Amino acid sequence: MKIHYISEENSVLNHFLGQIRNINVQNDSMRFRRNIERIGEIMAYELSKTLSYKEVAIQTPLGIKKTTEISEDLVLCSILRAGLPLHNGFLNYFDHAENSFVSACRHHPNNDDTFEILVEYQALSNLNNKTVLLLDPMLATGQSIVAVHEKLIENATPNEIHIVVVIAAPEGIAYLEKNLPENCHLWVASLDEKLNEKNYIVPGLGDAGDLAYGSKL
């Protein structure tokens, strides 16, 4: 699996990453959503450099201009609900893309810290021969992304899959490397230190879904 780390050099990306972590800023849910969206826009731009393009001729009011445009059929697929602001950021740049949505959540059958991943709701486009961008803000254990990936390829064969996360833990990256095909791409805005005993990312930012849309029962 090819991994792309995109916050290693200083840019406005790090400014937005700091705001989504900051407890004095992040509790403004509208601002939190907008910052995740802006991070998505920056990541979409960086990812766009690796896509395939074709030459086209554009008619302007004064003549013809040769340029290039994306030649791949893109599908944006976000993991509900935390992935929605990130999805919006990518959609702002890849407005021609198709859109898919999958739910994945931790289920604690014994009411303790052990859990399994439930993948339930799905609204999927035709993924055959498409380039799929799988979007989820937080890569903790990696189990949710692997479970959703398995669902995506159950009845379809995408040309390529790019996994996009804002914050990742080393344990989650290792799990993806072990359980996903080598031809997958992983895009990481920020690599954090570790997972804690409850499998939450440290220092992380908390629960991205709750910060974006409010606490759940």
Side-chain angles (χ1 to χ4, degrees):
M1 182 174 65
K2 184 171 179 57
I3 306 176
H4 311 261
Y5 297 102
I6 63 173
S7 66
E8 295 177 337
E9 297 182 0
N10 283 328
S11 75
V12 70
L13 173 63
N14 291 335
H15 180 82
F16 297 140
L17 286 168
Q19 289 192 353
I20 64 173
R21 296 181 188 271
N22 190 329
I23 60 173
N24 296 313
V25 178
Q26 63 174 203
N27 286 330
D28 181 341
S29 60
M30 184 170 67
R31 189 171 179 181
F32 181 84
R33 291 193 302 271
R34 181 62 182 122
N35 280 333
I36 292 288
E37 185 176 337
R38 291 192 285 194
I39 290 169
E41 291 172 347
I42 295 168
M43 298 186 77
Y45 171 74
E46 294 297 331
L47 190 152
S48 74
K49 298 176 184 178
T50 68
L51 299 176
S52 299
Y53 290 78
K54 62 182 178 182
E55 293 186 356
V56 294
I58 302 297
Q59 177 69 59
T60 81
L62 300 177
I64 302 293
K65 174 62 179 177
K66 291 183 179 179
T67 185
T68 59
E69 63 182 28
I70 295 171
S71 60
E72 299 181 40
D73 293 323
L74 302 180
V75 179
L76 307 179
C77 180
S78 57
I79 299 179
L80 301 175
R81 63 181 167 151
L84 290 175
L86 188 62
H87 190 118
N88 288 337
F90 270 78
L91 192 57
N92 288 343
Y93 276 30
F94 300 135
D95 56 294
H96 60 290
E98 297 178 75
N99 297 273
S100 296
F101 304 90
V102 179
S103 72
C105 64
R106 294 182 180 184
H107 173 59
H108 300 265
N110 301 318
N111 295 317
D112 55 20
D113 291 339
T114 61
F115 64 88
E116 59 188 15
I117 301 299
L118 297 183
V119 178
E120 297 177 325
Y121 175 83
Q122 0 171 4
L124 299 179
S125 309
N126 179 0
L127 306 181
N128 284 314
N129 304 314
K130 307 285 180 65
T131 298
V132 177
L133 279 55
L134 179 56
L135 312 170
D136 195 16
M138 309 296 283
L139 171 56
T141 67
Q143 294 179 48
S144 293
I145 286 177
V146 169
V148 171
H149 176 271
E150 291 174 354
K151 184 63 65 175
L152 295 183
I153 64 172
E154 200 171 73
N155 298 302
T157 307
N159 282 339
E160 198 167 41
I161 294 182
H162 294 262
I163 297 161
V164 180
V165 301
V166 176
I167 296 175
E171 296 92 333
I173 292 176
Y175 188 80
L176 296 193
E177 289 182 305
K178 180 180 178 181
N179 291 280
L180 293 183
E182 291 184 1
N183 62 353
C184 284
H185 289 254
L186 174 63
W187 296 82
V188 179
S190 184
L191 176 62
D192 274 16
E193 297 173 11
K194 61 181 180 180
L195 296 179
N196 66 14
E197 65 281 358
K198 294 187 176 181
N199 289 314
Y200 287 106
I201 301 174
V202 177
L205 53 74
D207 189 299
D210 286 357
L211 289 167
Y213 298 110
S215 300
K216 56 188 175 295
L217 294 176

